[in-house]
Amino acid sequence: MLDANPYSMLLEPVQIGPVTARNRFYQVPHCTGLGHLRPRADAAVRGMKAEGGWAVVSNQETEIHPTSDLSPFAEGRLWDGRDVPALRLMTDAVHAHGSLAAIQLVHNGNHAQNLLTRAPVLAPSEMSVDTSHPKQAQAMDKADIREFRRWHREAALRAKDAGFDIIYVYAGHNMTLAQHFMLPHMNQRSDEYGGSLENRVRLTRELLEDTHETVGDSCAVAFRFAIDEMMGTGGMQATEEGRAVVELLANLPDLWDVNVADWSNDSATTRFQPEDGYQNAFLSHVKQFTRKPVVGVGRLTSPDMMLSMVKQGIVDLIGAARPSIADPFIPKKIEEGRIDEIRECIGCNICVSSDNLGIPIRCTQNPTMGEEWRRGWHPEIIAPKKSNADTLVIGGGPAGLECAMQLARRGYQVTLAEAAAELGGRVGKEAKLPGLAAWSRVVDYRLNDLKQRGNVQLFTDSRLDGDQVAELGVEHVFVATGSHWRTDGMGRSTQRHMPQIEQSANVLTPDDILNGLLPPDGPVMIYDDDHIYLAGVIAEKLATAGYQVVFVTPESLVSAYAVNTLEQPRIQARLIELGIDIRCNQVLAAAEGDIARIRCTFTGRETDVPCASTILVTERQRETTLYDSLRWLGLKTLELIGDAASPGLIVDAVFAGHRAARNFERPKAEADQDWFRREIIDLEETR
């Protein structure tokens, strides 16, 4: 007799106002970079979540009016009835799998720049817009507030017409008018909408009441609320005004969706917040004041933690955004007892960076994310093999592991050969750096899968040359030999003026640090022309080890790309706290002996930096020697993948490995069509 599912409590239905969620798994609203510009692709993302067992699947923030225009970012849009058919694509996709569809209605106030519509920006009080754009918002008068309430009611009716089961009032992430009215630093009004907390909450109360009155007969009304701004006494706190808001509105929403602000706190990376369930302390008292169900988040991937949260009465529903991106099938895997098959979120925020860059969503762990419609990719299903061909994957980094795993899932015989003593490549090494331990999940998930398959052979300490590959007799070869960091200082900022690197200079690269080599005693200069995360992590590692570190970058910020992953302020603060000497807007001119010479990017003025060693984090060179030697063997398949083909982020390497396995033995012309499947804007003129 089979044992009962120990997580059966997570599979219980939950009543949410007039609708019922079939289990406790709730995909909270999150952006996809698809939105109103790519509604078919967006619907496919949400439909996959429903197929994976999420009882509630929400869309992203959905603009209700042209005065809340988030262009150029492709969020949801529900300005008028013409937007309904696109949103109905999503609700139909979600309902097809028995799940509830939720919509997050929003007016973003001064967070909306209205760059497309050129409409006036609205806010509780006079203030600048919430970006560096030179524009200011105007204070809403009572007529504006009445209009805003009308827009929200009409949007709720359109949402109901589009088939949504749950309709949000949104006061979170420091991005919405409802929250802006609550915050005293943004609301300096002296009328009944300002001053006391009860007055500042008045607009939210009215929105909740309006939405109930308008659609509450058949749709649940959810309230997404940032209970703590994570600023201590400088902002709203869960134990003070946050708690008071819950008491004031206790049973008015049908559902409380509670999180923290701002977005960088709600979606904290594992580098700075390694603990899953890190928001529990802020949620723990909400259920004391409401009879309505509560959903909470916190990068939840462990079924044991989920179960504990429900049993302790912290939440009724397990919320997720990023974990549902990394693995849309978490609920089904828990229901079917396949816990070891869960692809755990690594908290790298590559999904977040996609939204900040205005591009379709992607995920390091789940290369199918965002490709469900365009390429027809499914995270759990892949086409079976077309022949009995044997395959050889050379290189056990992220690209090689993903390629081997997917080829094996298709049913091919797979041999994976790795030159090093351990599988994992760059991921295995980078995961040993400060704050990046969770990245080992990329390797762990794939190795766990590969080791359980009878059609896979794994070899380490197996560096192959062309003759050895020829001797193996395998005619289908995928080369994932990676790349190495340059030692000559060449990078995006030095292409026209190569730095002079003298033999007397002690130059290291990230490869040296990742392989366990530390600089000699004395000051270390780290030159970062990569601008992502690696230089900052190495700086932290060395400063913690007692080195005097000078961090030099041509950018105006440390790890400038990390603005997109919401980490940049934390990275720079960490380096400052460690006493690292930061020199921004400086390009490397020379390294000689115990001196590095840097040049101001604006004036060209040069400065000497005393240093016993220089670590160059600039560009990488592809490892193609083996590939080049194999090109003359006449192999039926020879494909270069991952960093060996195009050095990039780990997400890019995983995607390349996945695509190669999907396209194996597929006609090239057919595979190439995947690049070009687009959603074309209707040219019919409408007003």
Side-chain angles (χ1 to χ4, degrees), residues 362-374:
R362 52 210 57 189
C363 174
T364 300
Q365 277 283 59
N366 176 13
T368 70
M369 177 52 53
E371 300 291 348
E372 298 87 350
W373 178 80
R374 178 168 67 151

Side-chain angles (χ1 to χ4, degrees), residues 372-683:
E372 298 87 350
W373 178 80
R374 178 168 67 151
R375 298 177 186 272
W377 286 0
H378 191 290
E380 303 297 316
I381 301 172
I382 191 167
K385 65 181 182 179
K386 291 189 173 183
S387 72
N388 291 321
D390 292 345
T391 61
L392 171 63
V393 178
I394 303 173
L401 287 172
E402 177 68 19
C403 183
M405 181 179 71
Q406 298 300 342
L407 288 170
R409 285 180 172 181
R410 293 188 64 184
Y412 292 103
Q413 291 292 323
V414 180
T415 299
L416 173 61
E418 164 59 41
E422 295 181 357
L423 292 164
R426 61 178 287 195
V427 177
K429 295 176 180 179
E430 291 182 15
K432 297 174 183 176
L433 293 172
L436 303 186
W439 293 19
S440 62
R441 293 173 174 179
V442 174
V443 178
D444 295 343
Y445 169 74
R446 287 157 180 82
L447 275 183
N448 178 66
D449 184 282
L450 286 165
K451 287 179 178 179
Q452 297 181 60
R453 297 186 180 275
N455 58 334
V456 175
Q457 296 183 85
L458 301 175
F459 296 96
T460 55
D461 290 313
S462 300
R463 183 178 298 277
L464 300 178
D465 59 26
D467 292 338
Q468 291 169 321
V469 172
E471 287 177 14
L472 289 174
V474 179
E475 295 188 301
H476 304 281
V477 180
F478 299 85
V479 180
T481 43
S483 61
H484 63 270
W485 289 90
R486 300 182 70 129
T487 60
D488 58 5
M490 170 66 82
R492 55 172 54 87
S493 299
T494 54
Q495 289 175 345
R496 290 181 181 271
H497 303 284
M498 279 283 290
Q500 296 178 343
I501 308 295
E502 304 293 339
Q503 288 187 343
S504 60
N506 184 39
V507 172
L508 294 88
T509 71
D511 293 322
D512 296 314
I513 306 301
L514 292 172
N515 289 325
L517 179 65
L518 289 176
D521 292 340
V524 178
M525 191 193 84
I526 298 175
Y527 178 63
D528 181 20
D529 205 8
D530 183 48
H531 312 306
I532 307 178
Y533 59 87
L534 197 54
V537 176
I538 291 173
E540 180 178 345
K541 174 183 173 68
L542 296 181
T544 303
Y547 287 88
Q548 178 185 340
V549 178
V550 180
F551 189 99
V552 176
T553 177
E555 288 284 352
S556 298
L557 297 171
V558 168
S559 302
Y561 182 89
V563 167
N564 299 308
T565 59
L566 308 180
E567 300 174 283
Q568 195 285 324
R570 286 185 170 94
I571 294 172
Q572 192 141 349
R574 176 70 59 82
L575 300 195
I576 292 171
E577 290 165 357
L578 288 170
I580 292 172
D581 180 3
I582 298 172
R583 312 275 186 99
C584 292
N585 304 312
Q586 300 287 330
V587 66
L588 181 66
E592 52 191 41
D594 56 0
I595 292 290
R597 185 168 298 113
I598 57 177
R599 180 185 300 119
C600 176
T601 57
F602 299 110
T603 67
R605 187 179 297 120
E606 294 188 348
T607 305
D608 285 348
V609 179
C611 55
S613 55
T614 300
I615 300 177
L616 300 179
V617 190
T618 56
E619 287 184 352
R620 285 172 282 170
Q621 291 179 311
R622 300 180 299 130
E623 296 280 6
T624 63
T625 303
L626 176 60
Y627 173 81
D628 292 337
S629 71
L630 298 177
R631 296 174 70 177
W632 315 109
L633 293 182
L635 298 171
K636 291 182 178 178
T637 301
L638 176 61
E639 186 168 352
L640 197 62
I641 60 175
D643 287 342
S646 180
L649 293 168
I650 297 169
V651 63
D652 302 314
V654 173
F655 178 82
H658 190 92
R659 186 181 68 237
R662 291 259 183 185
N663 288 341
F664 178 52
E665 294 197 306
R666 187 180 176 203
K668 184 178 184 302
E670 179 184 312
D672 284 347
Q673 286 302 309
D674 291 346
W675 300 111
F676 306 112
R677 192 179 189 199
R678 298 179 292 156
E679 299 189 52
I680 305 297
I681 295 172
D682 189 345
L683 296 180

Side-chain angles (χ1 to χ4, degrees), residues 239-267:
T239 55
E240 301 293 339
E241 283 199 340
R243 173 174 177 159
V245 172
V246 179
E247 293 183 77
L248 285 169
L249 302 176
N251 296 308
L252 191 50
D254 293 316
L255 171 84
W256 281 86
D257 180 345
V258 186
N259 56 19
V260 295
D262 59 6
W263 190 15
S264 66
N265 292 317
D266 188 34
S267 294

